[in-house]
Amino acid sequence: MSFFRFKKEQFVPQGKMKKEEVDKVVNEFNEDSQDTMYYFEPSDPDAHEVEKTEEDRKVILQLSNFITEEIRELGIEEKGFSEYNLSDLIQRIHLLESENKYQADLFLENTRNIEVYLTGNKLHDYASLLHEMLHLFSSSKVYIHPEKSPKVKVGYSIGEKMESFNEAVTEKLANELLLKHKKEISNLLHVQQREVESYVKKNRAYDRLRDALSLIIARASKEIGLDIDLLWEKVKRAYFTGNFFFLREFQRFYGEEFLWFLIRLDELIEKGELDEEEIPRIVSSKEHFREYIKRVRRKENRI
C-alpha cells in the first residue's frame, strides 16, 4: 500500500463507537479525500497548475530519498519506497503559478495533497517543496468522534493545536537536510554549494519559532544531562513516529505548564496575546518561562 493514503489502522476512535460506525466514517473520509485528490482544485482560485518537467520529477525523487534516508538513520522501520509510492507522491504534488505573490505553499492534511506556488527561484521552490513533503512523510492519524468532524494529526499538530511547534520542527529539519545534501542539490539544480548554504542562512521562514525550538532543546538537554544532538534526534524521531512521551523531558526543565504552553501557543498568537518575537526570550530560561506563565495566569484570573 502507498505511504500516502490513510489506512484503517491510522483512524483512532474517540469515545464509544460501534465497528460499523467506525467503518462508515473511515470509508466516507477516504472517499472524500480520494475525490478531492483526483478532482484537484487549488486553494487559490486564480492559480493554474504547471505540468511537471523531467527535472521536477528527478527533484521529487531525490527529496523523497533524502527524507527516507533520514527516517532510516533515526532507526525507524521503513516499509520500502516503491514505484507505486513514487507515482502516488508525484500525483499529490501540484506545482502552481499565481499572480498572488503572497500565496503560501500548503500541505492539505485531509487529502494529503501539496501545493507549491512557483516563484521562479528553483532553490526556493524546491526547498519549500521539501518542507511540505516532510509534512507528508511525518506521522499521521485521524481522530474520529461520534457526531464530530474527524481531526487529522500531522507530525506534532492536531487540528489547530501545536501547529507552531510542528512548523518549527519541519523547517529546522528541512534546513538540516538542505545542508546535509548540498552537494547533491548543487548538482541537481546547477547551483554552487555556497548558494545552498547562503539560502539556509538567510531563510526567515518560522525563524523566531526555530530560534525558540533551538533554545528549548539546548536548555532542556543541559538540565537532563543529554547531548543536544541526541535530544534533537528524539524530537525528529517523534515527528515521524508520533510517540511524544519524550516531551516530558522538556517538562522536567520548564515545569508542568510547558505542554499547556505548546498546546495553547497558536491560540495565543492568533488572539494577539503573544507576539512570535517574544517566544525565544520566554523559553530562554526556566525563570523567564515561569514569569510568563504567572502573568498569563494572573490575567486569566482577572477576566
Side-chain angles (χ1 to χ4, degrees):
M1 294 182 71
S2 169
F3 277 157
F4 313 117
R5 297 182 190 277
F6 283 111
K7 304 167 184 65
K8 189 170 181 179
E9 58 267 25
Q10 289 175 286
F11 288 80
V12 184
Q14 304 294 289
K16 294 181 179 180
M17 292 184 73
K18 296 179 181 177
K19 181 180 181 301
E20 54 269 25
E21 292 176 324
V22 175
D23 290 342
K24 183 174 184 292
V25 174
V26 170
N27 292 335
E28 288 177 350
F29 185 95
N30 278 332
E31 186 176 341
D32 288 345
S33 295
Q34 187 166 317
D35 287 346
T36 307
M37 177 184 167
Y38 288 128
Y39 301 100
F40 171 77
E41 291 183 5
S43 300
D44 179 352
D46 297 322
H48 66 274
E49 189 161 4
V50 177
E51 186 176 351
K52 298 179 189 71
T53 64
E54 186 59 32
E55 180 187 66
D56 294 330
R57 291 172 177 270
K58 286 180 180 178
V59 170
I60 291 169
L61 175 60
Q62 189 70 285
L63 295 182
S64 67
N65 286 340
F66 295 162
I67 298 171
T68 53
E69 179 184 314
E70 183 72 17
I71 291 171
R72 285 194 297 270
E73 289 181 358
L74 289 168
I76 302 168
E77 183 182 359
E78 200 247 315
K79 303 297 183 184
F81 199 74
S82 68
E83 288 297 321
Y84 171 69
N85 294 140
L86 180 59
S87 175
D88 189 21
L89 172 61
I90 290 172
Q91 190 175 4
R92 290 176 184 276
I93 293 171
H94 302 274
L95 306 180
L96 302 157
E97 288 185 345
S98 172
E99 293 182 2
N100 179 6
K101 295 181 180 180
Y102 301 101
Q103 174 65 52
D105 300 324
L106 298 169
F107 171 66
L108 306 172
E109 57 192 25
N110 281 41
T111 62
R112 302 175 73 69
N113 281 342
I114 290 172
E115 297 182 11
V116 173
Y117 290 83
L118 301 173
T119 65
N121 181 326
K122 285 185 179 180
L123 181 54
H124 170 81
D125 292 340
Y126 289 139
S128 296
L129 175 58
L130 174 61
H131 176 105
E132 305 307 332
M133 285 174 63
L134 281 165
H135 284 311
L136 181 59
F137 278 79
S138 67
S139 66
S140 297
K141 288 184 180 179
V142 184
Y143 291 93
I144 53 179
H145 193 286
E147 301 176 2
K148 290 185 180 180
S149 299
K151 286 188 176 181
V152 182
K153 184 182 83 62
V154 178
Y156 285 95
S157 69
I158 175 169
E160 297 178 353
K161 307 293 186 183
M162 298 275 284
E163 284 188 7
S164 291
F165 186 78
N166 193 55
E167 292 294 356
V169 173
T170 305
E171 189 66 7
K172 181 177 173 66
L173 178 51
N175 286 340
E176 184 175 272
L177 291 176
L178 288 173
L179 292 177
K180 183 177 181 179
H181 299 284
K182 62 186 177 183
K183 182 177 181 180
E184 298 99 304
I185 292 169
S186 68
N187 292 335
L188 196 61
L189 303 185
H190 307 291
V191 298
Q192 297 293 321
Q193 291 186 41
R194 63 175 177 270
E195 291 181 56
V196 181
E197 294 171 349
S198 177
Y199 174 84
V200 171
K201 185 177 181 179
K202 295 177 180 178
N203 180 15
R204 293 293 173 263
Y206 306 107
D207 57 342
R208 304 310 286 157
L209 294 172
R210 286 188 284 117
D211 289 345
L213 173 61
S214 296
L215 284 167
I216 290 167
I217 293 170
R219 300 295 182 267
S221 65
K222 186 176 181 181
E223 175 73 11
I224 64 179
L226 185 66
D227 182 79
I228 289 177
D229 291 337
L230 292 178
L231 186 53
W232 169 231
E233 280 191 10
K234 284 192 174 188
V235 175
K236 290 189 290 184
R237 195 174 294 114
Y239 177 80
F240 290 113
T241 65
N243 186 345
F244 297 158
F245 288 118
F246 87 95
L247 288 173
R248 294 173 181 172
E249 307 285 7
F250 295 150
Q251 281 184 300
R252 285 173 58 185
F253 177 64
Y254 288 102
E256 292 298 320
E257 299 279 12
F258 186 73
L259 286 184
W260 172 90
F261 175 71
L262 288 185
I263 292 168
R264 285 283 306 279
L265 186 57
D266 298 284
E267 180 185 343
L268 293 167
I269 293 171
E270 185 177 345
K271 287 182 176 179
E273 297 176 12
L274 177 62
D275 190 320
E276 280 190 22
E277 295 292 321
E278 296 179 53
I279 300 173
R281 187 194 66 81
I282 290 170
V283 300
S284 63
S285 71
K286 57 185 172 184
E287 290 77 20
H288 285 156
F289 179 76
R290 289 169 185 174
E291 285 173 9
Y292 171 76
I293 293 297
K294 285 179 183 178
R295 290 202 309 271
V296 172
R297 292 306 190 202
R298 282 198 298 266
K299 184 177 179 180
E300 288 180 342
N301 291 335
R302 287 198 301 267
I303 294 175

